């Protein structure tokens, strides 16, 4: 009997050891638990929290790590994670229960915004949508916090922010500023600048509804078979388009 118990104990040690070995670091991610959760997220304007198994690894975990890396210089954003154990003392299961997150949903991301009672939930239709770019896009669209997405230019993002709430006369002035700024850019950046300018012109001609219809069009195209280069280009156009969207439109 003692030999059997000893063997079981050794197997458990090996399993736990493997979990620690397989688990990958998420550089820049702040680990939270039941005691620290409320103390820490309330200190930030925006907090993205990934609820996952206690020792996460794999593609989705790596993609979340890229978000932490991309936002490391943004003092208003916290990128955190909660490891939930369904064994032993079941650490942090109370947090999963509190936010109604089921085990089969892991990894689940909730976005907490200062002043909002309820968090936003990052939802994907299929696994390959769980990417760092989609997560950053989600954070930016819901919070309004600036995050530089691929293909975007900070100065033009700020002009887009002004443009979407401006009247017709001011929009014309902002469009002129964008065209002048385009002339100062490198040849590579001018391609992106032209997307901003064309978007402004089409909004002025077709109205704000253009943003939503164009988003829908791009989403449809991205579901089809595209070359890597074409897909990257579409994703960058979508990122730029988001700069003209209001927080809850995406």
């Amino acid at each position: 009997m003692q030999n059997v118990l000893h063997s079981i104990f050794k197997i458990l040690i090996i399993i736990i050891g493997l979990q620690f070995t397989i688990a990958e670091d998420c550089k820049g991610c702040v680990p939270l638990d039941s005691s620290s959760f409320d103390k820490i997220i309330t200190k930030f304007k925006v907090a993205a929290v990934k609820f996952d198994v206690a020792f996460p690894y794999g593609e989705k975990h790596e993609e979340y790590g890229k978000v932490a890396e991309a936002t490391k210089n943004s003092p208003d954003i916290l990128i955190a994670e909660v490891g939930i154990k369904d064994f032993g003392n079941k650490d942090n299961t109370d947090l999963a229960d509190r936010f109604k997150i089921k085990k089969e949903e892991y990894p689940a991301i909730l976005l907490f915004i200062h002043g909002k009672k309820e968090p936003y939930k990052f939802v994907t239709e299929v696994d390959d949508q769980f990417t760092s770019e989609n997560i950053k896009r989600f954070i930016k669209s819901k919070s309004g916090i600036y995050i530089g997405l691929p293909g975007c230019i900070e100065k033009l993002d700020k002009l887009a922010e002004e443009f979407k709430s401006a009247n017709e006369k001011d929009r014309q002035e902002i469009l002129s500023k964008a065209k002048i700024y385009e002339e100062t850019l490198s040849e590579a950046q001018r391609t992106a600048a032209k997307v901003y300018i064309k978007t402004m012109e089409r909004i002025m001609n077709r109205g704000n509804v253009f943003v939503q219809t164009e988003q829908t069009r791009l989403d449809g195209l991205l579901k089809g078979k595209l070359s890597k280069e074409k897909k990257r280009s579409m994703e960058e156009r979508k990122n730029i388009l988001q700069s003209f969207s209001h927080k809850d439109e995406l």
Side-chain angles (χ1 to χ4, degrees), residues 3 18 45 101 112 139 154 161 192 232 238 243 250:
N3 288 337
L18 281 172
K45 290 182 181 179
I101 297 173
F112 298 83
I139 294 171
E154 185 172 1
E161 186 69 27
R232 182 189 63 78
K238 189 174 178 181
S243 302
L250 295 181

Side-chain angles (χ1 to χ4, degrees), residues 94-144:
D94 57 327
L95 286 175
D97 293 340
R98 174 179 164 185
F99 295 109
K100 299 180 175 59
I101 297 173
K102 299 176 182 178
K103 183 179 179 180
E104 51 268 27
E105 294 179 293
Y106 300 164
I109 298 173
L110 295 185
L111 185 68
F112 298 83
I113 298 175
H114 190 71
K116 294 275 187 182
K117 288 185 178 180
E118 298 296 328
Y120 292 103
K121 189 172 186 179
F122 176 67
V123 179
T124 59
E125 294 179 5
V126 292
D127 281 350
D128 63 7
Q129 291 178 341
F130 195 103
T131 65
S132 59
E133 299 312 321
N134 281 337
I135 296 167
K136 287 188 287 183
R137 193 179 291 121
F138 164 73
I139 294 171
K140 185 178 178 182
S141 69
K142 297 302 182 186
S143 69

Side-chain angles (χ1 to χ4, degrees), residues 48-216:
V49 184
K50 178 168 73 74
F51 293 77
D52 207 341
V53 294
F55 308 105
Y57 63 94
E59 253 182 60
K60 292 183 178 181
H61 186 59
E62 290 172 9
E63 288 297 315
Y64 192 68
K66 291 177 185 177
V67 179
E69 175 65 23
T71 58
K72 64 182 180 182
N73 295 320
S74 302
D76 294 329
I77 305 175
L78 172 71
I79 304 297
E81 58 182 349
V82 172
I84 302 166
K85 293 181 181 177
D86 61 355
F87 58 88
N89 54 11
K90 298 192 173 182
D91 291 342
N92 304 322
T93 52
D94 57 327
L95 286 175
D97 293 340
R98 174 179 164 185
F99 295 109
K100 299 180 175 59
I101 297 173
K102 299 176 182 178
K103 183 179 179 180
E104 51 268 27
E105 294 179 293
Y106 300 164
I109 298 173
L110 295 185
L111 185 68
F112 298 83
I113 298 175
H114 190 71
K116 294 275 187 182
K117 288 185 178 180
E118 298 296 328
Y120 292 103
K121 189 172 186 179
F122 176 67
V123 179
T124 59
E125 294 179 5
V126 292
D127 281 350
D128 63 7
Q129 291 178 341
F130 195 103
T131 65
S132 59
E133 299 312 321
N134 281 337
I135 296 167
K136 287 188 287 183
R137 193 179 291 121
F138 164 73
I139 294 171
K140 185 178 178 182
S141 69
K142 297 302 182 186
S143 69
I145 291 287
Y146 182 77
I147 300 175
L149 300 175
C152 292
I153 299 170
E154 185 172 1
K155 172 70 174 179
L156 291 173
D157 273 349
K158 289 177 180 178
L159 288 178
E161 186 69 27
E162 293 176 26
F163 182 90
K164 67 186 182 185
S165 58
N167 58 37
E168 188 175 345
K169 180 183 175 182
D170 289 341
R171 281 184 170 183
Q172 188 61 57
E173 290 179 5
I174 293 166
L175 175 59
S176 297
K177 287 180 183 179
K179 289 180 176 179
I180 292 169
Y181 184 67
E182 180 197 358
E183 297 301 317
T184 70
L185 298 173
S186 65
E187 189 175 339
Q189 287 183 309
R190 285 186 184 183
T191 300
K194 289 184 189 303
V195 177
Y196 284 91
I197 290 167
K198 286 181 180 179
T199 301
M200 289 181 186
E201 290 172 339
R202 286 173 182 171
I203 291 172
M204 291 173 72
N205 290 331
R206 305 181 194 179
N208 293 332
V209 69
F210 169 75
V211 176
Q212 189 59 54
T213 55
E214 183 66 0
Q215 285 170 350
T216 302

Side-chain angles (χ1 to χ4, degrees), residues 14-59:
I14 291 169
I15 291 172
I16 293 170
L18 281 172
Q19 285 180 311
F20 275 106
T21 303
I22 294 172
E24 298 170 356
D25 288 337
C26 181
K27 292 181 180 179
C29 297
V30 176
L32 301 177
D33 57 30
S34 300
S35 300
S36 64
F37 189 88
D38 290 302
K39 289 180 182 178
I40 293 178
I41 66 165
T42 54
K43 304 296 182 186
F44 293 83
K45 290 182 181 179
V46 178
V49 184
K50 178 168 73 74
F51 293 77
D52 207 341
V53 294
F55 308 105
Y57 63 94
E59 253 182 60

Side-chain angles (χ1 to χ4, degrees), residues 214-246:
E214 183 66 0
Q215 285 170 350
T216 302
R217 187 183 77 86
L218 290 175
D219 284 338
L221 291 172
L222 283 166
K223 289 177 182 177
K225 292 184 178 180
L226 301 170
S227 66
K228 287 184 179 180
E229 182 62 26
K230 191 66 174 176
K231 185 175 182 180
R232 182 189 63 78
S233 176
M234 291 285 183
E235 289 284 2
E236 290 182 357
R237 287 175 67 88
K238 189 174 178 181
N239 289 341
I240 291 171
L241 196 65
Q242 181 184 291
S243 302
F244 294 88
S245 302
H246 293 281

